[in-house]
Amino acid sequence: MATSAAGTLRLGTAQGRWVLLATVLGSSMAMLDGTVVNVALPRIGEDLGASLASLQWTLNAYLLTLAGLILLGGALGDRYGRRRVFLIGVVWFAVASAACAAAPTIHVLIAARAVQGIGGALLTPGSLAMLQAVFHPDDRSAAVGLWSGLGGVSAAIGPFLGGWLVDGPGWRWIFLLNLPLAAAVIAVTSRYVPESRDESASGRFDVPGALLAALALGTITYALTAAGEGLSPAVWVTGALSLLLGAAFVAVERRAPEPMLPLYLFSSRLFTAVNLVTLCVYAAFSGVFFLLVVQLQIVSGFSPLLSGFALVPITVLMLALSARAGRLGKRIGPRIPLTVGPLLCAAGVLLMLRTGPGSSYWLDVLPAVTVMGCGMTLLVAPLTATVLAAVEVRHAGIASGVNNAAARAAGLLAVAALPALAGLSGDAYRVPSAVDSAFHTAMLICAGLLVAGGLTAFATVRGNVLAPEDHPVAEPDCEWSCGTTPPLDPGHVHTHEGPATGTAAGPSPES
């Protein structure tokens, strides 16, 4: 077992390379799981006789527990040891993955996905936290950059791999794939990664806040999903309950000595505004990535492999250009990228309206995802840097965590609400004409959300917010940052060198 002192390990050493490998493989489990599950949804529905609402819950059950518990998972790592909690999360994730693969019914699969999300909430914060804690300060940025680039490769191959597995041995293998990865992560981490913890951590955990957040998200997600079948009394009751639980969550966070969501952060107008932008754009991204693969497979007749390939240009563009976009945001200020980026994404989404029966990948799909990928590349790195710049340096870690949770919650709600708003419910996702009509309505809604995000940024973000004189150079604590891509977010990118540098790490979204 490694015994290197915290903060002294060098990247060029053998142990340093093993530590990097462990964190890359750990985050890659969740990255692969996110991209391949989305591609497999139509086949899962066909095999298990699932309704559209059940397919929505296949995604949202994971997101619900992950979004509700990810900050608590980071706090547990600080208190009890980041390596220990990371390993528990990896084992938990692997066992839940095996349960997903063996699920005999859609309801068992949904339950296993919720359990899988708990494992993701334990392992996700630890992936970057261990890099931040064990590497020498001079090597941290390089380690994070390598972690991001190698993790981005996982995000890029995920759609290919998922499509190949779904077309070949079957969708259950997308979950079995996690088992050998988990075994490798456990072996490498146990032997080479030194333990680290925050010695000043008090051990207080905002368990009531985490439970209320998960319950509030769960009830509103149920209400929005069930609304697709009609506004029944259950929809109204759960909708009202979600509002009550949300109010209780705010009250608890106001009084908690160490709240999961420090409400004082929102006293910053910039922080509040940028999180509103995050909610708008990530809701749109999640809606697009959820429905596009359904449209391509059910309406356009694409194979799972080709429909998975459709999203690869976005990941490639972000891998190639995100660092440059971060530097651009620092040089010219974030206002223009945060305005133009969402508008460019909206243009790409509107181009997706050309997809339909008999569509060509090269003529109809590729131009749309390329334009959207350019917009995401321009947007995401400056967005994260601006979130960090909106608060004091000592709060950079929790600010990044709150923004990550906002992105995941936005995706959760979008997947729940968008089909109902577009008029798609029940088994209609198997009817090409119904899917085509709903897809066009949904893309118009997503484009509207992106425009709203761009206009919000234009109205609220100052052009000089990333100026070094306004925000001192500091390397934020990455322990709260996500180490995985949300399931419908293949380009989720975080900057880890702080607002003063403006450089971006690569894609980090789940699943």
Side-chain angles (χ1 to χ4, degrees):
M1 182 183 296
T3 57
S4 299
T8 62
L9 187 63
R10 303 309 299 248
L11 184 59
T13 63
Q15 184 184 353
R17 290 189 287 270
W18 282 113
V19 170
L20 181 64
L21 177 64
T23 59
V24 168
L25 290 178
S27 61
S28 293
M29 286 173 54
M31 286 184 182
L32 285 170
D33 199 64
T35 53
V36 299
V37 169
N38 206 38
V39 172
L41 285 177
R43 289 289 179 86
I44 292 174
E46 179 182 345
D47 188 30
L48 298 182
S51 66
L52 177 64
S54 295
L55 294 185
Q56 290 170 272
W57 277 110
T58 301
L59 296 177
N60 282 344
Y62 178 92
L63 278 177
L64 182 61
T65 51
L66 180 64
L69 301 175
I70 190 169
L71 295 183
L72 184 62
L76 288 170
D78 287 347
R79 179 65 179 85
Y80 294 111
R82 298 178 179 110
R83 186 187 69 170
R84 176 185 298 175
V85 173
F86 175 77
L87 284 172
I88 291 172
V90 171
V91 173
W92 192 308
F93 195 92
V95 172
S97 296
C100 290
T105 66
I106 189 64
H107 298 98
V108 174
L109 176 60
I110 291 169
R113 288 281 287 164
V115 175
Q116 195 182 35
I118 299 174
L122 295 175
L123 75 88
T124 290
S127 179
L128 277 172
M130 291 188 298
L131 290 183
Q132 187 76 358
V134 305
F135 277 108
H136 189 279
D138 292 343
D139 288 344
R140 285 175 186 164
S141 294
V144 169
L146 286 169
W147 174 90
S148 302
L150 294 172
V153 173
S154 298
I157 67 173
F160 283 112
L161 187 59
W164 178 77
L165 289 172
V166 171
D167 275 339
W171 63 265
R172 296 180 187 276
W173 284 86
I174 67 177
F175 297 108
L176 293 174
L177 181 68
N178 292 324
L179 302 186
L181 276 176
V185 172
I186 293 167
V188 175
T189 303
S190 300
R191 180 167 184 177
Y192 294 105
V193 178
E195 185 60 282
S196 64
R197 58 173 52 86
D198 182 359
E199 299 298 338
S200 65
S202 67
R204 297 176 179 174
F205 304 115
D206 185 16
V207 175
L211 292 177
L212 284 170
L215 289 172
L217 284 172
T219 50
I220 189 60
T221 300
Y222 174 83
L224 292 173
T225 303
E229 306 293 335
L231 297 178
S232 65
V235 171
W236 290 108
V237 170
T238 52
L241 181 60
S242 70
L243 295 178
L244 293 175
L245 289 168
F249 171 72
V250 172
V252 166
E253 297 307 278
R254 286 185 182 277
R255 293 171 174 77
E258 295 184 14
M260 184 181 76
L261 178 63
L263 298 179
Y264 61 79
L265 291 176
F266 293 95
S267 62
S268 165
R269 178 174 174 267
L270 178 62
F271 183 79
T272 302
V274 175
N275 278 285
L276 286 175
V277 174
T278 299
L279 288 171
C280 288
V281 299
Y282 278 99
F285 295 159
S286 297
V288 170
F289 298 141
F290 173 48
L291 290 174
L292 179 60
V293 292
V294 177
Q295 172 79 354
L296 293 177
Q297 292 184 49
I298 302 299
V299 177
S300 301
F302 285 24
S303 67
L305 178 60
L306 186 55
S307 63
F309 177 76
L311 300 179
V312 171
I314 294 177
T315 303
V316 172
L317 283 169
M318 298 197 73
L319 280 172
L321 301 176
S322 284
R324 296 179 183 178
R327 289 192 291 269
L328 177 67
K330 177 180 180 293
R331 186 167 66 250
I332 68 174
R335 189 183 192 190
I336 293 177
L338 295 186
T339 301
V340 176
L343 296 180
L344 196 57
C345 287
V349 171
L350 292 177
L351 285 175
M352 291 178 187
L353 296 175
R354 299 170 59 192
T355 62
S359 289
S360 162
Y361 174 78
W362 300 106
L363 298 179
D364 299 315
V365 181
L366 182 60
V369 296
T370 299
V371 172
M372 185 174 179
C374 289
M376 291 180 67
T377 300
L378 186 62
L379 159 71
V380 174
L383 178 68
T384 308
T386 306
V387 167
L388 297 178
V391 299
E392 296 179 24
V393 171
R394 63 192 179 95
H395 297 312
I398 189 62
S400 177
V402 169
N403 187 246
N404 179 44
R408 294 177 186 277
L412 178 72
L413 298 178
V415 172
L418 200 57
L421 293 174
L424 192 66
S425 62
D427 294 329
Y429 75 92
R430 301 175 185 175
V431 181
S433 59
V435 172
D436 193 39
S437 176
F439 177 78
H440 283 70
T441 301
M443 292 307 99
L444 292 174
I445 295 172
C446 290
L449 286 170
L450 289 163
V451 170
L455 294 180
T456 299
F458 181 78
T460 57
V461 177
R462 292 183 293 113
N464 63 345
V465 71
L466 299 184
E469 59 270 19
D470 290 341
H471 302 278
V473 175
E475 187 171 352
D477 183 358
C478 291
E479 64 193 271
W480 294 99
S481 301
C482 71
T484 176
T485 304
L488 309 175
D489 179 12
H492 193 48
V493 179
H494 287 282
T495 53
H496 295 287
E497 295 183 21
T501 66
T503 56
S508 77
E510 172 231 321
S511 180

